[in-house]
Amino acid sequence: MQPNILFEANTAPAVSRVVSDEPIFCISSPRRRTHMVTVRWQDNTVTIGGSAPVRIQSMTSTDTADPIGTAIEIKDLAHAGSELVRITVNTPEAAASVPAIRAHLDRMGVDVPLIGDFHYNGHLLLRDYPDCAQALSKYRINPGNVGQGAKRSMQFSQMIEAAIRHNKPVRIGVNWGSLDQDLLTRIMDENARRTRPWNTSNVMYEALIQSAIGSAERAIELGLEPNLIVLSCKVSGVQDLIAVYQALSLRCSFSLHLGLTEAGIGSRGIIASTTALSILLQQGIGDTIRVSITPEPGASRTGEVIVSQEILQAIGLRSFVPTVIACPGCGRTTSIVFQELASRIRDYLHIQMPMWRKQYPGVEAMNVAVMGCIVNGPGESKHANIGISLPGNGENLAAPVFINGVKKTTLRGTGIAEKFQGMIHDYVQHTYGAIAQER
């Protein structure tokens, strides 16, 4: 098997010339065609792949053996926007708690599907705790952690047979920190015999891909349908993730889950995840994502869900909350007034969204501009659904408001924030309320 050429030197000319009247601008690649996987709990059906939108996942950090604490964290993640939530199932106590966790969630009206994360002893837990196997909506299996030597095939088979028995989809999740060592050794030996050996990175990429695809093929041989399989090949490096998934997407039609396995803390984790996932999603690769950010001590994990939403919204794949377009501010702006207004409008939109999302379909795609001076303010405000351009330093105390590109009024004096909020509320009722009535 020859390695895929994953990167090429930039050989584009320094100056490009238009040689045709046809448009030359490409926004993004079409979504890769994949098997659609259905994940269910009661009346809630979440589809992955196919024509479904890119889905958002997260994972709990609580001890699964604590059913109340775990249920509360799942509720918070689901309310933040996580469409699937993964929980660790690593001990008999954890497995025994899964039905209670599901019951707590059902009583709270939280129907988010749960994914059981299994390593080492998953074959035993799925066998010994059938209520756990049934309460979960999907299983995650790491081929590198299902057993060693002769036991690996048998224990993997037992987990797939449990998925078939309970009619559950499976994510076969390969991780470069726990690769199948027998497979890796075989690929390294094959590489050593090549006339031109691959470099170490390509050997690792190939091991990840062969582990994922080979495990999926084995699952199909055992009777699991292709539309019940999601694949992932998790690594920590941005360029490694891009390289692996570009190659993986060319070699299979399974739905793919994207994410760095250890993105990092704070801005480092956000930037690394955003960079890697945005490039792949822009190329049409990826059906479900997780942003794995290490939370600050005591902080909620819901932040990673919000980052996932912002990634998908920024590149135009999905909308979750109206976008506030705001300039960064400069010496021309009255920074405190401008910053306070931008923050107030952002917070106002987030507070209103739980109610608006139910009453006003499509409102999540609304754009609101809050600009700081006359340089770009009026123009940006005209491009938004509704926008305001504040007076900058030395300008007259007047803030024109534009609706759908047309100047509607000019706000003056005190109370501009309250007046503009009122105009946003009226715009939402008039525009998106009409859409709701039409439906």
Short mmCIF file of all heavy atoms in Angstrom, two decimals, residues 165-214:
data_model
loop_
_atom_site.label_atom_id
_atom_site.label_comp_id
_atom_site.label_asym_id
_atom_site.label_seq_id
_atom_site.Cartn_x
_atom_site.Cartn_y
_atom_site.Cartn_z
N ARG A 165 -27.08 -7.17 19.51
CA ARG A 165 -28.17 -7.69 20.35
C ARG A 165 -29.09 -6.57 20.82
O ARG A 165 -30.32 -6.72 20.86
CB ARG A 165 -27.58 -8.45 21.53
CG ARG A 165 -28.60 -9.15 22.40
CD ARG A 165 -27.92 -10.20 23.29
NE ARG A 165 -26.87 -9.65 24.15
CZ ARG A 165 -25.56 -9.85 23.96
NH1 ARG A 165 -25.13 -10.57 22.94
NH2 ARG A 165 -24.67 -9.33 24.80
N HIS A 166 -28.52 -5.43 21.18
CA HIS A 166 -29.31 -4.31 21.70
C HIS A 166 -29.62 -3.27 20.62
O HIS A 166 -30.21 -2.23 20.94
CB HIS A 166 -28.56 -3.65 22.86
CG HIS A 166 -28.42 -4.53 24.07
ND1 HIS A 166 -29.44 -4.71 24.97
CD2 HIS A 166 -27.38 -5.30 24.50
CE1 HIS A 166 -29.04 -5.54 25.93
NE2 HIS A 166 -27.79 -5.91 25.67
N ASN A 167 -29.21 -3.54 19.39
CA ASN A 167 -29.47 -2.65 18.25
C ASN A 167 -28.93 -1.24 18.52
O ASN A 167 -29.64 -0.24 18.40
CB ASN A 167 -30.97 -2.58 17.94
CG ASN A 167 -31.24 -1.91 16.59
OD1 ASN A 167 -30.42 -1.97 15.68
ND2 ASN A 167 -32.38 -1.27 16.47
N LYS A 168 -27.64 -1.18 18.87
CA LYS A 168 -27.00 0.10 19.18
C LYS A 168 -25.88 0.38 18.17
O LYS A 168 -25.13 -0.52 17.80
CB LYS A 168 -26.38 0.06 20.59
CG LYS A 168 -27.34 -0.33 21.70
CD LYS A 168 -28.42 0.71 21.92
CE LYS A 168 -29.31 0.30 23.11
NZ LYS A 168 -30.37 1.28 23.37
N PRO A 169 -25.75 1.64 17.74
CA PRO A 169 -24.61 2.01 16.91
C PRO A 169 -23.33 2.05 17.74
O PRO A 169 -23.38 2.14 18.98
CB PRO A 169 -24.98 3.39 16.38
CG PRO A 169 -25.95 3.93 17.37
CD PRO A 169 -26.67 2.76 17.95
N VAL A 170 -22.20 2.00 17.05
CA VAL A 170 -20.90 1.94 17.70
C VAL A 170 -19.96 2.97 17.07
O VAL A 170 -19.93 3.10 15.84
CB VAL A 170 -20.29 0.53 17.56
CG1 VAL A 170 -18.84 0.51 18.02
CG2 VAL A 170 -21.10 -0.49 18.33
N ARG A 171 -19.23 3.68 17.91
CA ARG A 171 -18.08 4.43 17.38
C ARG A 171 -16.83 3.63 17.65
O ARG A 171 -16.52 3.34 18.81
CB ARG A 171 -17.93 5.82 18.02
CG ARG A 171 -16.59 6.48 17.61
CD ARG A 171 -16.58 7.97 17.74
NE ARG A 171 -16.56 8.46 19.09
CZ ARG A 171 -15.44 8.79 19.77
NH1 ARG A 171 -14.25 8.63 19.22
NH2 ARG A 171 -15.53 9.27 21.00
N ILE A 172 -16.13 3.28 16.60
CA ILE A 172 -14.84 2.62 16.72
C ILE A 172 -13.81 3.75 16.77
O ILE A 172 -13.51 4.37 15.75
CB ILE A 172 -14.59 1.66 15.56
CG1 ILE A 172 -15.63 0.53 15.61
CG2 ILE A 172 -13.18 1.11 15.61
CD1 ILE A 172 -15.59 -0.41 14.44
N GLY A 173 -13.32 4.02 17.96
CA GLY A 173 -12.48 5.19 18.19
C GLY A 173 -11.03 4.81 18.45
O GLY A 173 -10.69 4.37 19.55
N VAL A 174 -10.19 4.99 17.44
CA VAL A 174 -8.77 4.69 17.57
C VAL A 174 -8.06 5.92 18.14
O VAL A 174 -8.39 7.05 17.80
CB VAL A 174 -8.17 4.30 16.20
CG1 VAL A 174 -6.71 3.90 16.34
CG2 VAL A 174 -8.97 3.16 15.58
N ASN A 175 -7.07 5.67 18.98
CA ASN A 175 -6.33 6.76 19.62
C ASN A 175 -4.84 6.48 19.51
O ASN A 175 -4.40 5.35 19.78
CB ASN A 175 -6.75 6.87 21.09
CG ASN A 175 -6.23 8.12 21.76
OD1 ASN A 175 -5.03 8.34 21.82
ND2 ASN A 175 -7.14 8.92 22.28
N TRP A 176 -4.06 7.49 19.13
CA TRP A 176 -2.63 7.23 18.92
C TRP A 176 -1.90 6.93 20.23
O TRP A 176 -0.78 6.41 20.20
CB TRP A 176 -1.98 8.36 18.15
CG TRP A 176 -1.74 9.67 18.86
CD1 TRP A 176 -2.31 10.10 20.01
CD2 TRP A 176 -0.87 10.70 18.43
NE1 TRP A 176 -1.86 11.35 20.34
CE2 TRP A 176 -0.96 11.75 19.37
CE3 TRP A 176 -0.02 10.87 17.35
CZ2 TRP A 176 -0.23 12.94 19.25
CZ3 TRP A 176 0.70 12.06 17.24
CH2 TRP A 176 0.59 13.07 18.18
N GLY A 177 -2.53 7.21 21.36
CA GLY A 177 -1.91 6.87 22.63
C GLY A 177 -2.16 5.44 23.06
O GLY A 177 -1.57 4.98 24.04
N SER A 178 -3.02 4.73 22.33
CA SER A 178 -3.33 3.35 22.70
C SER A 178 -3.53 2.51 21.44
O SER A 178 -4.51 1.78 21.32
CB SER A 178 -4.58 3.30 23.58
OG SER A 178 -5.66 3.99 22.97
N LEU A 179 -2.60 2.63 20.52
CA LEU A 179 -2.69 1.88 19.28
C LEU A 179 -2.49 0.38 19.52
O LEU A 179 -1.77 -0.01 20.45
CB LEU A 179 -1.62 2.37 18.29
CG LEU A 179 -2.04 3.44 17.27
CD1 LEU A 179 -0.81 3.95 16.53
CD2 LEU A 179 -3.06 2.89 16.30
N ASP A 180 -3.11 -0.42 18.68
CA ASP A 180 -2.89 -1.86 18.67
C ASP A 180 -1.41 -2.10 18.37
O ASP A 180 -0.94 -1.87 17.25
CB ASP A 180 -3.79 -2.48 17.60
CG ASP A 180 -3.64 -3.98 17.47
OD1 ASP A 180 -2.60 -4.52 17.91
OD2 ASP A 180 -4.54 -4.62 16.90
N GLN A 181 -0.66 -2.57 19.36
CA GLN A 181 0.78 -2.70 19.20
C GLN A 181 1.17 -3.79 18.21
O GLN A 181 2.18 -3.67 17.51
CB GLN A 181 1.43 -2.97 20.56
CG GLN A 181 1.34 -1.78 21.51
CD GLN A 181 1.98 -0.52 20.94
OE1 GLN A 181 3.17 -0.51 20.62
NE2 GLN A 181 1.19 0.53 20.80
N ASP A 182 0.36 -4.85 18.11
CA ASP A 182 0.65 -5.89 17.12
C ASP A 182 0.53 -5.33 15.71
O ASP A 182 1.37 -5.61 14.84
CB ASP A 182 -0.30 -7.08 17.31
CG ASP A 182 -0.05 -7.83 18.61
OD1 ASP A 182 1.07 -7.68 19.17
OD2 ASP A 182 -0.96 -8.54 19.08
N LEU A 183 -0.53 -4.56 15.48
CA LEU A 183 -0.72 -3.94 14.16
C LEU A 183 0.40 -2.96 13.86
O LEU A 183 0.96 -2.94 12.75
CB LEU A 183 -2.08 -3.23 14.12
CG LEU A 183 -2.36 -2.38 12.88
CD1 LEU A 183 -2.41 -3.25 11.63
CD2 LEU A 183 -3.67 -1.61 13.05
N LEU A 184 0.74 -2.13 14.84
CA LEU A 184 1.81 -1.14 14.63
C LEU A 184 3.13 -1.83 14.31
O LEU A 184 3.87 -1.40 13.41
CB LEU A 184 1.94 -0.26 15.87
CG LEU A 184 3.00 0.85 15.81
CD1 LEU A 184 2.72 1.81 14.67
CD2 LEU A 184 3.05 1.61 17.14
N THR A 185 3.44 -2.90 15.03
CA THR A 185 4.68 -3.63 14.78
C THR A 185 4.70 -4.22 13.37
O THR A 185 5.72 -4.16 12.67
CB THR A 185 4.84 -4.76 15.82
OG1 THR A 185 4.92 -4.18 17.12
CG2 THR A 185 6.11 -5.56 15.55
N ARG A 186 3.57 -4.77 12.93
CA ARG A 186 3.50 -5.34 11.59
C ARG A 186 3.74 -4.28 10.52
O ARG A 186 4.49 -4.50 9.56
CB ARG A 186 2.14 -6.01 11.36
CG ARG A 186 1.97 -6.57 9.95
CD ARG A 186 0.68 -7.33 9.81
NE ARG A 186 -0.50 -6.53 10.04
CZ ARG A 186 -1.01 -5.67 9.15
NH1 ARG A 186 -0.40 -5.46 7.99
NH2 ARG A 186 -2.10 -5.01 9.44
N ILE A 187 3.11 -3.11 10.68
CA ILE A 187 3.28 -2.04 9.70
C ILE A 187 4.72 -1.51 9.71
O ILE A 187 5.30 -1.21 8.66
CB ILE A 187 2.26 -0.91 9.97
CG1 ILE A 187 0.85 -1.43 9.72
CG2 ILE A 187 2.53 0.31 9.09
CD1 ILE A 187 -0.25 -0.45 10.09
N MET A 188 5.32 -1.45 10.90
CA MET A 188 6.72 -1.01 10.98
C MET A 188 7.64 -2.01 10.27
O MET A 188 8.59 -1.61 9.58
CB MET A 188 7.12 -0.83 12.44
CG MET A 188 6.45 0.34 13.13
SD MET A 188 6.78 0.40 14.90
CE MET A 188 8.55 0.71 14.91
N ASP A 189 7.36 -3.31 10.44
CA ASP A 189 8.17 -4.33 9.78
C ASP A 189 8.02 -4.24 8.26
O ASP A 189 9.00 -4.35 7.51
CB ASP A 189 7.77 -5.72 10.27
CG ASP A 189 8.19 -5.97 11.71
OD1 ASP A 189 9.05 -5.22 12.22
OD2 ASP A 189 7.64 -6.90 12.34
N GLU A 190 6.78 -4.05 7.81
CA GLU A 190 6.55 -3.89 6.37
C GLU A 190 7.28 -2.66 5.84
O GLU A 190 7.86 -2.68 4.75
CB GLU A 190 5.05 -3.78 6.09
CG GLU A 190 4.27 -5.05 6.35
CD GLU A 190 2.77 -4.84 6.22
OE1 GLU A 190 2.35 -3.67 6.02
OE2 GLU A 190 2.01 -5.82 6.33
N ASN A 191 7.25 -1.61 6.61
CA ASN A 191 7.90 -0.38 6.18
C ASN A 191 9.41 -0.54 6.08
O ASN A 191 10.05 0.00 5.18
CB ASN A 191 7.55 0.74 7.16
CG ASN A 191 8.05 2.09 6.70
OD1 ASN A 191 7.75 2.52 5.60
ND2 ASN A 191 8.82 2.76 7.53
N ALA A 192 9.97 -1.32 7.00
CA ALA A 192 11.43 -1.52 6.99
C ALA A 192 11.90 -2.24 5.74
O ALA A 192 13.06 -2.11 5.32
CB ALA A 192 11.86 -2.28 8.24
N ARG A 193 10.99 -3.00 5.13
CA ARG A 193 11.35 -3.75 3.92
C ARG A 193 11.15 -2.94 2.64
O ARG A 193 11.47 -3.42 1.54
CB ARG A 193 10.53 -5.04 3.85
CG ARG A 193 10.87 -6.04 4.97
CD ARG A 193 10.25 -7.40 4.70
NE ARG A 193 8.80 -7.37 4.78
CZ ARG A 193 8.11 -7.61 5.90
NH1 ARG A 193 8.74 -7.87 7.04
NH2 ARG A 193 6.79 -7.60 5.88
N ARG A 194 10.63 -1.74 2.76
CA ARG A 194 10.41 -0.91 1.57
C ARG A 194 11.73 -0.39 1.01
O ARG A 194 12.67 -0.12 1.76
CB ARG A 194 9.50 0.28 1.91
CG ARG A 194 8.09 -0.10 2.30
CD ARG A 194 7.27 1.14 2.63
NE ARG A 194 5.94 0.75 3.09
CZ ARG A 194 4.92 0.50 2.28
NH1 ARG A 194 5.09 0.61 0.96
NH2 ARG A 194 3.76 0.15 2.77
N THR A 195 11.74 -0.20 -0.29
CA THR A 195 12.91 0.41 -0.93
C THR A 195 13.09 1.85 -0.44
O THR A 195 14.21 2.29 -0.19
CB THR A 195 12.75 0.41 -2.46
OG1 THR A 195 12.54 -0.94 -2.89
CG2 THR A 195 13.99 0.97 -3.14
N ARG A 196 11.95 2.53 -0.30
CA ARG A 196 11.96 3.90 0.23
C ARG A 196 11.01 3.94 1.43
O ARG A 196 9.82 4.20 1.28
CB ARG A 196 11.52 4.90 -0.85
CG ARG A 196 12.44 4.94 -2.06
CD ARG A 196 11.88 5.86 -3.13
NE ARG A 196 11.71 7.21 -2.63
CZ ARG A 196 11.08 8.18 -3.32
NH1 ARG A 196 10.56 7.92 -4.50
NH2 ARG A 196 10.98 9.38 -2.81
N PRO A 197 11.50 3.68 2.61
CA PRO A 197 10.63 3.62 3.79
C PRO A 197 9.90 4.94 4.05
O PRO A 197 10.44 6.03 3.80
CB PRO A 197 11.60 3.30 4.93
CG PRO A 197 12.77 2.66 4.26
CD PRO A 197 12.90 3.34 2.93
N TRP A 198 8.70 4.82 4.58
CA TRP A 198 7.95 6.00 4.99
C TRP A 198 8.58 6.60 6.23
O TRP A 198 9.28 5.90 6.98
CB TRP A 198 6.51 5.63 5.32
CG TRP A 198 5.74 4.99 4.21
CD1 TRP A 198 6.11 4.87 2.90
CD2 TRP A 198 4.46 4.37 4.34
NE1 TRP A 198 5.16 4.22 2.19
CE2 TRP A 198 4.13 3.89 3.04
CE3 TRP A 198 3.59 4.15 5.38
CZ2 TRP A 198 2.92 3.23 2.78
CZ3 TRP A 198 2.40 3.50 5.13
CH2 TRP A 198 2.07 3.04 3.85
N ASN A 199 8.29 7.86 6.48
CA ASN A 199 8.76 8.44 7.73
C ASN A 199 7.87 7.98 8.88
O ASN A 199 6.82 7.36 8.68
CB ASN A 199 8.80 9.97 7.65
CG ASN A 199 7.44 10.60 7.42
OD1 ASN A 199 6.42 10.12 7.88
ND2 ASN A 199 7.41 11.71 6.67
N THR A 200 8.30 8.27 10.10
CA THR A 200 7.60 7.77 11.29
C THR A 200 6.15 8.23 11.35
O THR A 200 5.25 7.47 11.73
CB THR A 200 8.34 8.22 12.56
OG1 THR A 200 9.69 7.75 12.50
CG2 THR A 200 7.68 7.69 13.81
N SER A 201 5.90 9.47 10.96
CA SER A 201 4.54 10.00 11.00
C SER A 201 3.62 9.22 10.08
O SER A 201 2.50 8.85 10.46
CB SER A 201 4.53 11.49 10.63
OG SER A 201 5.21 12.26 11.60
N ASN A 202 4.07 8.94 8.86
CA ASN A 202 3.22 8.21 7.92
C ASN A 202 2.95 6.79 8.41
O ASN A 202 1.87 6.23 8.17
CB ASN A 202 3.86 8.18 6.53
CG ASN A 202 3.58 9.46 5.75
OD1 ASN A 202 2.73 10.24 6.12
ND2 ASN A 202 4.33 9.65 4.68
N VAL A 203 3.92 6.18 9.07
CA VAL A 203 3.70 4.84 9.64
C VAL A 203 2.60 4.91 10.69
O VAL A 203 1.70 4.05 10.73
CB VAL A 203 5.01 4.29 10.24
CG1 VAL A 203 4.74 3.01 11.04
CG2 VAL A 203 6.04 4.01 9.13
N MET A 204 2.64 5.92 11.55
CA MET A 204 1.62 6.05 12.58
C MET A 204 0.25 6.33 11.95
O MET A 204 -0.76 5.74 12.36
CB MET A 204 1.97 7.18 13.54
CG MET A 204 0.97 7.33 14.68
SD MET A 204 1.17 8.88 15.57
CE MET A 204 0.67 10.07 14.32
N TYR A 205 0.21 7.22 10.94
CA TYR A 205 -1.06 7.50 10.28
C TYR A 205 -1.66 6.22 9.71
O TYR A 205 -2.85 5.96 9.85
CB TYR A 205 -0.88 8.51 9.13
CG TYR A 205 -0.31 9.85 9.52
CD1 TYR A 205 0.28 10.66 8.54
CD2 TYR A 205 -0.36 10.33 10.82
CE1 TYR A 205 0.81 11.90 8.86
CE2 TYR A 205 0.17 11.57 11.14
CZ TYR A 205 0.76 12.35 10.16
OH TYR A 205 1.27 13.58 10.47
N GLU A 206 -0.82 5.44 9.05
CA GLU A 206 -1.31 4.21 8.43
C GLU A 206 -1.82 3.22 9.48
O GLU A 206 -2.84 2.55 9.28
CB GLU A 206 -0.20 3.56 7.60
CG GLU A 206 -0.62 2.32 6.84
CD GLU A 206 -1.69 2.59 5.78
OE1 GLU A 206 -1.85 3.76 5.36
OE2 GLU A 206 -2.39 1.63 5.40
N ALA A 207 -1.15 3.16 10.62
CA ALA A 207 -1.59 2.27 11.69
C ALA A 207 -2.95 2.70 12.22
O ALA A 207 -3.84 1.87 12.47
CB ALA A 207 -0.55 2.23 12.81
N LEU A 208 -3.14 3.98 12.41
CA LEU A 208 -4.43 4.50 12.87
C LEU A 208 -5.54 4.14 11.90
O LEU A 208 -6.61 3.65 12.29
CB LEU A 208 -4.35 6.02 13.04
CG LEU A 208 -3.56 6.57 14.23
CD1 LEU A 208 -3.22 8.04 14.02
CD2 LEU A 208 -4.35 6.39 15.52
N ILE A 209 -5.29 4.39 10.63
CA ILE A 209 -6.32 4.18 9.61
C ILE A 209 -6.63 2.69 9.45
O ILE A 209 -7.80 2.29 9.39
CB ILE A 209 -5.88 4.81 8.29
CG1 ILE A 209 -5.84 6.34 8.42
CG2 ILE A 209 -6.81 4.39 7.14
CD1 ILE A 209 -5.15 7.04 7.27
N GLN A 210 -5.59 1.87 9.40
CA GLN A 210 -5.84 0.44 9.26
C GLN A 210 -6.57 -0.12 10.48
O GLN A 210 -7.43 -1.00 10.34
CB GLN A 210 -4.52 -0.31 9.05
CG GLN A 210 -3.95 -0.18 7.65
CD GLN A 210 -2.90 -1.24 7.36
OE1 GLN A 210 -2.93 -2.34 7.92
NE2 GLN A 210 -1.96 -0.91 6.48
N SER A 211 -6.26 0.37 11.67
CA SER A 211 -6.94 -0.09 12.87
C SER A 211 -8.43 0.24 12.80
O SER A 211 -9.29 -0.59 13.10
CB SER A 211 -6.31 0.53 14.11
OG SER A 211 -6.99 0.11 15.28
N ALA A 212 -8.74 1.48 12.39
CA ALA A 212 -10.14 1.91 12.33
C ALA A 212 -10.91 1.15 11.26
O ALA A 212 -11.97 0.56 11.53
CB ALA A 212 -10.20 3.41 12.07
N ILE A 213 -10.39 1.15 10.04
CA ILE A 213 -11.10 0.50 8.94
C ILE A 213 -11.15 -1.02 9.13
O ILE A 213 -12.18 -1.66 8.89
CB ILE A 213 -10.46 0.87 7.59
CG1 ILE A 213 -10.63 2.38 7.33
CG2 ILE A 213 -11.09 0.07 6.46
CD1 ILE A 213 -9.99 2.87 6.05
N GLY A 214 -10.03 -1.61 9.56
CA GLY A 214 -10.01 -3.05 9.78
C GLY A 214 -11.00 -3.47 10.85
O GLY A 214 -11.68 -4.50 10.72
#
